[in-house]
Amino acid sequence: MSAVARFRSVVVDCPDPRALARFYAQVGGGTPEDDDPDWVVLRVPGGPRLAFQRSPGYTPPEWPRADRNAQQFHLDFDAGSTWEEIDAAEERVLALGATVLDREDYEKKDFRVYADPVGHPFCLCRIEHD
């Protein structure tokens, strides 16, 4: 089956596009293109194009709720193949302003769940590399 269109961007609503784009540039790489304070694009090397748009009255999702103001999406990041790499990545994202959303069952999961500085969930994933 042929595609109808080509994928372009993941667009994230937020109160301050420049600040959130800088956060994700430090997490996943890239340089924000921020000529417009209401719309900032981040081209992640080897990854998707992320765009951040100003949303007046922005309300963060309530994780892990599904009944009211639930998360609409989350981003997954490959943070390495060892728990030492995940621990180091966690330390760095917390220093950048992320918060932990889920500390339960760390030893049973291959991911850890955080919120970015405005409340969007994202995961640092342990990925076995060949």
Side-chain angles (χ1 to χ4, degrees):
M1 178 182 292
S2 64
V4 172
R6 289 180 292 161
F7 177 78
R8 178 155 170 84
S9 304
V10 172
V11 180
V12 180
D13 288 352
C14 59
D16 183 346
R18 285 181 172 155
L20 197 56
R22 284 192 301 269
F23 171 82
Y24 279 108
Q26 291 177 306
V27 172
T31 303
E33 300 168 5
D34 64 353
D35 297 335
D36 181 347
D38 294 327
W39 178 266
V40 177
V41 173
L42 175 63
R43 296 176 195 281
V44 178
R49 175 184 136 123
L50 296 176
F52 302 88
Q53 70 179 1
R54 185 174 311 280
S55 177
Y58 168 79
T59 302
E62 295 178 39
W63 189 90
R65 296 186 69 127
D67 60 337
R68 183 186 78 219
N69 198 28
Q71 72 171 345
Q72 291 90 36
F73 75 96
H74 72 273
L75 301 173
D76 284 345
F77 291 90
D78 176 347
S81 61
T82 68
W83 287 116
E84 292 79 17
E85 290 172 302
I86 303 302
D87 290 341
E90 176 178 89
E91 186 175 314
R92 292 183 64 195
V93 298
L94 294 176
L96 294 170
T99 56
V100 174
L101 288 180
D102 183 5
R103 284 203 185 273
E104 293 184 31
D105 301 328
Y106 264 19
E107 66 280 355
K108 295 179 183 176
K109 299 176 185 173
D110 284 339
F111 61 91
R112 295 183 184 170
V113 185
Y114 306 88
D116 67 25
V118 300
H120 295 292
F122 72 96
C123 296
L124 295 178
C125 303
R126 186 176 68 86
I127 307 295
E128 299 276 338
H129 297 151
D130 295 328

